[in-house]
Each structure stands twice: as structure tokens, then as C-alpha cells.
Amino acid sequence: MKFKLPFIFILLLILCVSCQEKIDQEKEDLIKQIYESMGESPNPDAEKVILLSFKYNLEENKVEKILDEYLSKYDEGYLSIKEAFEGKMSSKRENKTKYNIQHTIIELSSKYDISKDVLVSLIIDYIIWDNSEEGEY
């Protein structure tokens, strides 16, 4: 009897943990389905990326990476969609402060070898275009 009780307790603990993991996975799958049904994706809009890459004479994948990095830091909706598709939800959000945005622009400018003014114009164009389709402007 002494041996069976710890064994049963451990078995119940494993069962509870596996059930919670299954519930979490089902919740993440449901969130993905909702975003997919709304036509949302975890990437910047492909049409906008292509057109902006022509406008700024940049490679498409570079434009997409720049926008993804920027939006992942400062756009709550974009980050939520991205996290849902990646199967991880985070409560950590970077503050949208003047210093953080300046730091991000300097970092992206250096990383992708693009002047800050072109980088900022690209990001602003994307944000205005994206928001105008949502009826925010």
C-alpha cells in the first residue's frame, strides 16, 4: 500500500499536466483558426511589401523583415497574430516610447544598411496604408 499511493499520486499529476497541455494546445489552435478565418496572417501584407520594395528600391525579403521586426515591437494586433501562429502567447510588450522607437530605427537602419529617413518613410507608408484599409484614417 505504501508503494501504490505515491505511484497513484505521480500518475494523477502526469495526467493533470497532460490534460492542461492539451487544453492549451486546443486554445492556441482555436485562436489560429479565428485569425485565419478573418484573413489575418503573421506576416506583413505581401502586396504592400512588393509595392513598397519597388518604391524604395529594396529587396522584398528585406522590406518584409524590416516591417516584421518593427511591427512585432510596436503593433499589438500584429504581435498577437504572430504569437498565435507561432503557438506562443506573451504578456511582454516593449514600451512605445520615444527612446525605444529611436533605438529601434537606429538598430534596423544599421542592420539592413538603409538610411534612417528611407527606413522611417517605409514604415510610415506601410502603417498609413494598412490603417487606411481598416478605416482608421
Side-chain angles (χ1 to χ4, degrees):
M1 180 73 172
K2 290 180 183 179
F3 180 69
K4 288 183 180 181
L5 188 58
F7 179 73
I8 292 172
F9 179 71
I10 291 171
L11 186 60
L12 285 173
L13 183 63
I14 292 171
L15 182 62
C16 288
V17 169
S18 66
C19 287
Q20 184 61 42
E21 288 175 358
K22 184 177 179 182
I23 290 169
D24 290 344
Q25 184 60 45
E26 288 174 356
K27 189 173 159 183
E28 289 174 4
D29 291 344
L30 179 61
I31 291 170
K32 283 183 188 179
Q33 289 174 355
I34 290 169
Y35 282 123
E36 286 173 347
S37 69
M38 292 171 35
E40 300 286 345
S41 74
N43 299 316
D45 184 294
E47 177 187 9
K48 292 179 185 86
V49 168
I50 292 168
L51 295 173
L52 290 170
S53 71
F54 279 112
K55 179 178 181 179
Y56 291 101
N57 196 27
L58 298 168
E59 299 163 11
E60 285 177 38
N61 69 346
K62 187 182 276 192
V63 171
E64 184 173 14
K65 288 177 183 178
I66 290 168
L67 292 170
D68 178 63
E69 286 186 47
Y70 185 84
L71 295 171
S72 293
K73 289 183 178 184
Y74 300 109
D75 185 314
E76 291 285 328
Y78 181 84
L79 184 57
S80 296
I81 293 167
K82 185 175 178 178
E83 288 175 342
F85 274 84
E86 291 175 351
K88 59 182 177 184
M89 302 303 260
S90 170
S91 60
K92 181 186 174 194
R93 302 286 193 253
E94 189 161 331
N95 291 332
K96 192 174 181 176
T97 64
K98 180 179 172 182
Y99 169 76
N100 287 337
I101 293 173
Q102 288 174 339
H103 178 72
T104 300
I105 296 302
I106 292 167
E107 182 182 293
L108 292 174
S109 174
S110 174
K111 181 176 181 179
Y112 293 103
D113 193 30
I114 299 172
S115 68
K116 289 186 251 4
D117 60 327
V118 170
L119 181 70
V120 170
S121 294
L122 169 73
I123 292 168
I124 290 172
D125 281 353
Y126 182 85
I127 291 170
I128 290 173
W129 190 0
D130 194 53
N131 289 341
S132 70
E133 289 180 341
E134 296 172 9
E136 293 184 19
Y137 288 98

